Amino acid sequence: MEELHDESLFSSYIEAHQLQHVFHKTLMSHVTLWRYQQGELICSKGDKREYMYLLVRGKLKIFTTTKEGKTFILCFKHPLEAIGDIEYVKKTDMVNTVEAVTEVHMLRISHQALMRHANDDPRVLTFLLKGITNKLYAKSNDLSFHLLYPVEVRLASYLLSVLSDDDSTSKRPVRLTDAANLIGTSYRHINRVIQRFAEKGLIERHRGEITIRDRQRLLEIAEHNIYE
C-alpha cells in the first residue's frame, strides 16, 4: 500500500469519472490516491469502518469468511466501484474482505470527512444511492445466473473473471476451492469440468496454474456473462 502524490494522475481519475460533480472543493481536499499491489488487502471483514474507497484502476475480489474459516468469493469489481459506502450509511464495521486481483488505484476519503462535509449534500447522497442500488441490481443478476446456468457456463465465466482484461493468455494460479465456493458446486465437479476444458484446448493446467488458450471460445461458453 502506497499513497500516490501525483496531482496529474489524481486529476485524470477525477475527470474520467466526473467526480468533480460529486465532491465539492472542501470535500475534495480530503480525497487521497492510493496504490495496492496484486494480492494486497484493502480491508478485512470486521475491520472498523474508517474510509470509503473508490476503485479507479484495476480489479478487486470481494469475499467473506465463515467462523469455520471457509472463504466464499462474492464477486469481482472494476472501476468505478465504491467500497465502504454501505458501511458508511449503516454505520457498521466492514462487511466483507476486499483484495486486489491486479495492481489497483483507489481514491480514499474518511467517513469522518464525509460526515463533517457531506452528510446532507444531495450530490454525495445521490452518488451513494446510485452505487448501492447498482450493487442490489448486480446481486439479483448473480442470483439468477446461479439458478439458471449450468456449471460449465459459470466456470467459464469465473475463469474469465480471474484474469485481468489485458492479460488473456497469462498463466495464473487458480484455487478450485474458490471457484467451487463462488459457483456453488463441489470441488470434484469443478475439477471434472476443468479437465474437459483442457481436453478441448480451451485452457492448459499445470501445477495449480491455469493458462487460458482460447478466450473467445470461453466467452461463447460463458454466453458473455462474467462475474463482475
Side-chain angles (χ1 to χ4, degrees):
M1 180 178 67
E2 174 191 8
E3 184 174 1
L4 301 178
H5 300 281
D6 187 328
E7 289 298 327
S8 176
L9 186 60
F10 178 87
S11 297
S12 70
Y13 288 138
I14 296 297
E15 293 174 8
H17 299 289
Q18 300 186 332
L19 295 173
Q20 68 273 22
H21 303 305
V22 178
F23 301 141
H24 55 73
K25 187 174 181 180
T26 300
L27 190 59
M28 192 71 77
S29 66
H30 293 273
V31 180
T32 53
L33 178 62
W34 293 78
R35 175 169 59 197
Y36 293 81
Q37 299 299 328
Q38 179 183 358
E40 276 196 273
L41 295 182
I42 285 78
C43 58
S44 297
K45 178 180 179 180
D47 283 353
K48 181 181 178 182
R49 61 176 182 89
E50 293 185 278
Y51 300 101
M52 182 174 78
Y53 302 86
L54 296 177
L55 173 66
V56 291
R57 177 182 174 184
K59 180 184 289 188
L60 297 175
K61 177 173 71 175
I62 301 178
F63 61 95
T64 189
T65 306
T66 68
K67 293 180 179 179
E68 294 77 22
K70 293 184 178 180
T71 297
F72 293 91
I73 297 177
L74 302 175
C75 57
F76 297 88
K77 293 296 181 182
H78 285 286
L80 178 72
E81 180 69 21
I83 302 297
D85 51 344
I86 293 176
E87 288 81 357
Y88 171 72
V89 172
K90 289 182 62 64
K91 305 295 187 293
T92 62
D93 293 336
M94 301 307 292
V95 176
N96 299 310
T97 299
V98 181
E99 178 184 318
V101 176
T102 64
E103 178 184 300
V104 301
H105 289 180
M106 309 280 286
L107 297 175
R108 192 178 82 173
I109 183 168
S110 70
H111 285 184
Q112 185 177 17
L114 286 169
M115 286 289 294
R116 184 181 303 166
H117 302 292
N119 202 39
D120 298 316
D121 190 319
R123 293 169 296 181
V124 175
L125 294 177
T126 299
F127 176 79
L128 292 172
L129 177 60
K130 287 182 178 178
I132 293 172
T133 300
N134 286 337
K135 288 179 180 180
L136 291 173
Y137 179 76
K139 186 60 66 177
S140 176
N141 283 343
D142 287 346
L143 179 59
S144 298
F145 189 43
H146 277 276
L147 293 175
L148 299 176
Y149 289 88
V151 170
E152 287 77 6
V153 174
R154 286 179 276 157
L155 180 59
S157 174
Y158 176 85
L159 292 175
L160 291 164
S161 293
V162 296
L163 291 173
S164 58
D165 294 336
D166 57 353
D167 194 16
S168 61
T169 60
S170 71
K171 186 181 294 183
R172 190 182 302 277
V174 174
R175 294 181 58 189
L176 297 190
T177 50
D178 285 349
N181 288 334
L182 176 63
I183 291 170
T185 189
S186 68
Y187 173 90
R188 187 171 297 176
H189 194 169
I190 288 290
N191 198 42
R192 287 198 298 267
V193 178
I194 285 286
Q195 289 178 352
R196 287 202 294 269
F197 283 178
E199 290 167 359
K200 292 178 180 178
L202 305 179
I203 64 172
E204 181 179 310
R205 183 183 182 187
H206 181 66
R207 295 183 178 178
E209 294 184 327
I210 290 179
T211 304
I212 289 184
R213 292 302 186 191
D214 195 331
R215 184 179 179 85
Q216 184 56 42
R217 286 176 65 195
L218 273 183
L219 276 169
E220 292 171 1
I221 292 173
E223 300 184 23
H224 294 272
N225 292 291
I226 300 179
Y227 285 104
E228 301 297 354

